[in-house]
Every structure is written in C-alpha cells, then in structure tokens.
C-alpha cells in the first residue's frame, strides 16, 4: 500500500503522539505534548498508509534563513522501507520552496542516517545561540551528545 505525505490535521494528534512517544521515552527525540503539537500543527507533516499514520516530521522556523528538522520518527514496524528518508526529503523540499536561501539543520543521535541524505556534520558551536533555547528542559543540556548536521545543496 502506498504512503502519502501530507500536512498534519488536528485529528492526527493522537496518532502523532503514538509514533513519537516510544522514542521520546528513550530520550532519542524531545517529548511533545498534544498542546505543543496543536500549537505548532502547521509545522507537522505525517506519512499516511491506508487510514493509519506511520511517520511524522516537523520543523522549527527560526526565520527565513534558518530551519530545523525535528520530531522525525517512523512507527516501529514500518522502519527500513524508505519512509524516514522520504519524510526528510519531503520537508527539505518544502522548506527550500518556501525559503530558497535558508539553512536546514538537524540535531540528532542518528547522524549516519542524515549523512545518506546529503546532510554534513558541523560544529554545534557554529549554530546560533537561539537554537539552544529549547534545550533548557533537557536532562542532557550540559553534556549534549547530539550531532549537528546541515543539508548541503
Ligand atoms: C531514523 C528513522 C527516522 C529512520 O527511518 P527509516 O524509515 O527506517 O529510514 P529509511 O528506511 O529511509 O533508511 C534509509 C537508510 O538509512 C539507514 N538508517 C536508518 N536508520 C538509521 C539510523 N538510526 N542510523 C543510521 N542509519 C540508519 C537505513 O539502513 C537505510 O540505509 P540504506 O539506504 O543503505 O539501506 C527511524 O529509525 C526512527 O524513527 N528512529 C527513531 C527516531 C529518530 O532517531 N529520529 C531522528 C532524530 S532527528
């Protein structure tokens, strides 16, 4: 059955949480509440198969020059089929269309996955200070081991 990627709708929020929650519990991605997702619903996209949501991707908008891909997750059982790559490529193309000059970055524990998609590792200190605002509540904020990568194009 074919996957379709589309903007998230309010009624998708429980399914989005179902996809994100197992990885948030493991500390692989930042936890999100339904209120946070609702508040930033315009930044969420889902991959749908039949009437089920199998994957999620979101971005944070730091203005016309800087965008962050975040909340990327594929339902356990649906991984390894190209869905994660399709979501990253989809949101990257969307952002490039919106803001052709923007830098697209990601902070991740899966740098090798992003390297296959033309992201290149960069020194985290090169990213502007404002991106760390979101990390205030993270238990790893003083010893962050995530890798920063920027999309090369
Ligand atoms: C990372 C994740 C999104 C990948 O989704 P996926 O649908 O399995 O990815 P794809 O099938 O498109 O994989 C593409 C390639 O990346 C590789 N890959 C997948 N996950 C990987 C990982 N965590 N690390 C390194 N390589 C990975 C695949 O083996 C595949 O390689 P190939 O092209 O040589 O066969 C998914 O495993 C996931 O949801 N992980 C938990 C959440 C997470 O880590 N999100 C990223 C944080 S920003």
């Amino acid at each position: 059955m074919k996957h379709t990627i589309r903007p998230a709708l309010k009624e998708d929020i429980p399914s989005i949480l179902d996809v994100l929650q197992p990885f948030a519990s493991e500390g692989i991605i930042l936890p999100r509440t339904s209120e946070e997702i609702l508040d930033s619903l315009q930044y969420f996209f889902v991959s749908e198969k039949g009437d089920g949501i199998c994957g999620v991707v979101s971005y944070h908008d730091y203005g016309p020059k800087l965008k962050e891909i975040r909340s990327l997750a594929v339902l356990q059982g649906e991984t390894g089929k190209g869905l994660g790559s399709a979501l990253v490529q989809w949101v990257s193309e969307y952002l490039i269309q919106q803001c052709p000059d923007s830098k697209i970055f990601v902070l991740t524990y899966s740098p090798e996955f992003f390297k296959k998609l033309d992201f290149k590792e960069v020194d985290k200190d090169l990213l502007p200070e404002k991106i760390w605002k979101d990390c205030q509540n993270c238990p790893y904020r003083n010893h962050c081991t995530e890798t920063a990568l920027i999309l090369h194009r």
Side-chain angles (χ1 to χ4, degrees):
M1 196 179 285
K2 205 172 161 280
H3 288 279
T4 314
I5 299 175
R6 60 162 175 81
L9 304 170
K10 200 172 165 185
E11 47 271 32
D12 296 324
I13 293 176
S15 307
I16 293 174
L17 286 168
D18 285 346
V19 176
L20 298 181
Q21 192 51 47
F23 302 115
S25 305
E26 285 178 48
I28 298 174
I29 54 177
L30 278 178
R32 302 276 169 212
T33 62
S34 32
E35 291 74 23
E36 284 170 329
I37 298 172
L38 182 61
D39 285 348
S40 52
L41 198 60
Q42 70 199 97
Y43 305 112
F44 273 83
F45 302 93
V46 293
S47 170
E48 190 174 42
K49 188 170 79 168
D51 56 2
I53 302 298
C54 301
V56 176
V57 70
S58 163
Y59 73 95
H60 189 77
D61 194 350
Y62 290 100
K65 294 271 165 67
L66 192 66
K67 318 280 180 187
E68 177 186 5
I69 294 181
R70 50 165 66 176
S71 300
L72 168 70
V74 170
L75 199 64
Q76 285 164 335
E78 292 290 331
T79 53
K81 301 177 186 173
L83 203 46
S85 304
L87 283 161
V88 171
Q89 283 162 344
W90 198 95
V91 75
S92 300
E93 280 165 26
Y94 172 85
L95 292 173
I96 291 165
Q97 265 187 9
Q98 302 278 313
C99 290
D101 297 331
S102 64
K103 263 189 191 154
I104 300 171
F105 78 96
V106 65
L107 284 166
T108 182
Y109 293 112
S110 301
E112 297 310 317
F113 167 75
F114 284 94
K115 283 178 191 172
K116 290 185 173 176
L117 297 169
D118 295 330
F119 283 75
K120 303 266 185 291
E121 193 170 334
V122 291
D123 188 337
K124 274 185 285 203
D125 293 340
L126 293 178
L127 295 171
E129 188 74 9
K130 60 185 173 182
I131 74 151
W132 304 112
K133 183 171 58 72
D134 235 35
C135 306
Q136 277 160 8
N137 299 325
C138 175
Y140 306 111
R141 64 188 172 282
N142 294 325
H143 48 278
C144 172
T145 53
E146 285 191 303
T147 302
L149 301 102
I150 289 183
L151 178 63
H152 271 235
R153 50 197 169 94

